[in-house]
């Protein structure tokens, strides 16, 4: 089963990225799985060049620390493989303007800034290219990527109908729990790298004290009853989803074992700290050797490029490029 997914080096990894995406990637890793640090996507928002370079290294180290083994799967950096940008252009000539302006993330992000870049509008096409280049069957992603994935499927089908069967049509897969982790202070808003929310976001590299403080201050409600109910108790439901993401138990079964919010929060702190502490330790070791880290990423990029080249050539030829 060919698996592909990507993550932007646009800030520190938070537990939404970890549970929604990275933990699934670790579970699905095999010689047929490719995971990518999508640095081209990070250019859609303002980012200092030195920061982008550092954050790309940080993220490669973090993905390995979280459990990806570059000897098992292919771990690489998107801009090292030029076919992503090249296929993206071909697919921009298949996708429509109407499709892109309907993307919810585009509308939300464009609203937050004046003079947004064209890349903010077209980046779902680049994401389609990322996926389709590898003849991907499954894309493990968080729930926020559903709409973009639907676009990748539509573009693949349209291309295949118009020019001949070149692309595998991928399906998205979400984890059973924590597919959309919400901000701990505003549980109706997604936990996010690009929106600063110091108490609402738990980072994988947070200290045990910070994790405890953030979970203990997480917004809940005043009725005091522990039950899993997204509509009426979003703060508590978010904590139960997090608990489920870390423990594997279902949110309702967890809720049934607790009578007090404080007890649930205390146990959740222990679970999160126990899982994240070794990842942070391993990350610091890996990050202390830049040369080895870049070597690993370069090896991954070579493996990825060999696959991408074949698909790109087939797509270009099908469209009439010589
Ligand atoms: N809150 C979340 N809960 C579950 N999964 C999430 N993901 C992101 N946020 C959550 C998943 O993480 C993967 C990588 O995401 P990304 O780096 O491509 O960036 P993003 O979706 O743009 O997430 P950010 O950076 O945290 O937030 P925004 O959008 O505000 O910039 C994806 O699989 C994503 O689904």
């Amino acid at each position: 089963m060919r698996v592909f997914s990507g993550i932007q080096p646009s800030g520190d990894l938070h537990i939404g990225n970890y549970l929604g995406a990275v933990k699934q990637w670790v579970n699905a890793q095999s010689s047929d799985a490719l995971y990518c640090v999508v640095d081209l996507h990070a250019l859609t928002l303002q980012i200092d060049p030195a920061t982008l370079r550092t954050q790309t290294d940080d993220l490669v180290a973090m993905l390995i620390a979280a459990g990806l083994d570059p000897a098992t799967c292919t771990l690489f950096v998107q801009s090292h493989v030029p076919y992503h940008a090249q296929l993206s252009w071909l697919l921009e000539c298949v996708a429509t303007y109407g499709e892109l302006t309907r993307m919810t993330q585009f509308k939300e992000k464009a609203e937050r800034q004046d003079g947004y870049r064209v890349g903010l509008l077209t980046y779902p096409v680049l994401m389609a290219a990322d996926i389709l280049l590898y003849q991907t069957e499954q894309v493990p992603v968080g729930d926020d990527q559903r709409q973009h994935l639907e676009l990748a499927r539509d573009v693949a089908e349209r291309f295949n109908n118009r020019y001949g069967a070149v692309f595998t049509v991928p399906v998205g897969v979400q984890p059973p729990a924590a597919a959309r982790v919400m901000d701990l202070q505003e549980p109706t808003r997604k936990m996010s790298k690009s929106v600063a929310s110091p108490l609402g976001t738990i980072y994988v590299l947070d200290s045990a004290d910070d994790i405890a403080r953030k979970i203990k201050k997480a917004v809940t409600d005043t009725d005091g009853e522990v039950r899993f109910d997204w509509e009426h108790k979003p703060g508590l439901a978010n904590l139960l989803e997090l608990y489920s993401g870390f423990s594997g138990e279902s949110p309702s079964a967890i809720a049934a074992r607790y009578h007090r919010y404080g007890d649930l929060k205390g146990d959740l702190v222990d679970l999160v700290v126990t899982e994240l502490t070794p990842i942070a330790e391993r990350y610091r070791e890996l990050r202390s050797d830049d040369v080895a880290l870049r070597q690993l990423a370069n090896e991954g990029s070579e493996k990825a490029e060999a696959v991408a080249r074949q698909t790109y050539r087939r797509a270009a030829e099908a469209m009439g490029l010589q």
Side-chain angles (χ1 to χ4, degrees), residues 99-116:
E99 281 172 323
L100 298 184
T101 49
R102 280 198 293 278
M103 294 290 131
T104 314
Q105 280 207 10
F106 163 69
K107 287 193 266 188
E108 285 171 4
K109 288 186 178 173
E111 212 170 68
R112 283 191 240 138
Q113 53 190 303
D114 291 330
Y116 56 80

Side-chain angles (χ1 to χ4, degrees), residues 21-78:
V22 176
K23 207 170 161 168
Q24 295 194 79
W25 301 1
V26 173
N27 293 334
Q29 70 181 319
S30 74
S31 58
D32 229 6
L34 298 104
Y35 301 114
C36 182
V37 173
V38 290
D39 52 349
L40 295 174
H41 287 276
L43 298 174
T44 55
L45 299 176
Q46 177 54 32
I47 186 162
D48 167 65
T51 306
L52 177 56
R53 222 167 273 133
T54 307
Q55 286 183 175
T56 301
D57 289 338
D58 290 346
L59 195 49
V60 172
M62 179 53 85
L63 293 175
I64 299 172
L68 289 186
D69 177 1
T72 302
C73 62
T74 300
L75 174 61
F76 70 106
V77 176
Q78 181 190 31

Side-chain angles (χ1 to χ4, degrees), residues 6-8 10 14 16-17 20-21 105 109 141-142 144-145 178-181 190-194:
I7 181 162
Q8 301 188 57
S10 51
H14 54 68
N17 303 128
Q105 280 207 10
K109 288 186 178 173
V141 278
D144 60 321
Q145 294 299 329
R180 180 180 285 261
V181 173
K190 180 181 86 116
M191 190 178 282
S192 158
K193 292 200 219 87
S194 61

Side-chain angles (χ1 to χ4, degrees), residues 106-316:
F106 163 69
K107 287 193 266 188
E108 285 171 4
K109 288 186 178 173
E111 212 170 68
R112 283 191 240 138
Q113 53 190 303
D114 291 330
Y116 56 80
R117 298 149 195 228
V118 178
L120 194 64
L121 175 69
T122 57
Y123 99 88
V125 182
L126 177 59
M127 178 170 154
D130 299 338
I131 296 167
L132 301 182
L133 264 181
Y134 299 98
Q135 303 292 356
T136 303
E137 293 164 271
Q138 281 199 348
V139 189
V141 278
D143 181 67
D144 60 321
Q145 294 299 329
R146 270 176 201 270
Q147 199 186 20
H148 292 160
L149 204 84
E150 218 29 65
L151 180 83
R153 289 170 53 82
D154 290 347
V155 166
E157 280 168 0
R158 194 173 310 144
F159 186 105
N160 288 347
N161 288 335
R162 205 174 277 172
Y163 300 108
V166 170
F167 298 120
T168 303
V169 180
V171 293
V173 278
Q174 271 88 43
R180 180 180 285 261
V181 173
M182 308 308 270
D183 187 283
L184 298 180
Q185 289 297 310
E186 270 182 74
T188 48
R189 193 168 63 70
K190 180 181 86 116
M191 190 178 282
S192 158
K193 292 200 219 87
S194 61
V195 177
S197 174
L199 267 182
T201 312
I202 296 179
Y203 297 100
V204 173
L205 292 178
D206 272 349
S207 67
D209 285 351
D210 280 343
I211 293 171
R213 193 165 50 90
K214 290 175 185 182
I215 291 178
K216 295 208 165 128
K217 291 199 166 165
V219 167
T220 48
D221 52 70
T222 50
D223 86 6
E225 191 193 340
V226 181
R227 85 191 132 78
F228 183 53
D229 179 348
W230 266 111
E231 194 187 341
H232 300 104
K233 300 165 78 71
L236 191 70
N238 193 33
L239 293 176
L240 287 164
E241 289 256 1
L242 280 178
Y243 199 129
S244 172
F246 280 98
S247 71
E249 239 180 309
S250 81
S252 312
I254 298 162
R257 290 197 282 109
Y258 287 94
H259 299 292
R260 292 213 305 250
Y261 295 176
D263 296 341
L264 179 123
K265 284 182 167 181
D267 288 350
L268 177 59
V269 171
D270 291 343
L271 266 179
V272 178
V273 170
T274 304
E275 186 153 335
L276 298 189
T277 304
I279 297 178
E281 282 167 7
R282 176 102 178 92
Y283 169 82
R284 290 193 183 95
E285 273 168 39
L286 288 160
R287 203 62 191 85
S288 64
D289 188 349
D290 278 4
V291 177
L293 204 59
R294 292 222 171 158
Q295 174 67 23
L296 284 174
N298 289 340
E299 284 166 13
S301 302
E302 276 172 29
K303 280 201 274 175
E305 182 158 355
V307 183
R309 186 185 303 120
Q310 293 180 27
T311 309
Y312 175 76
R313 286 198 179 146
R314 281 179 61 202

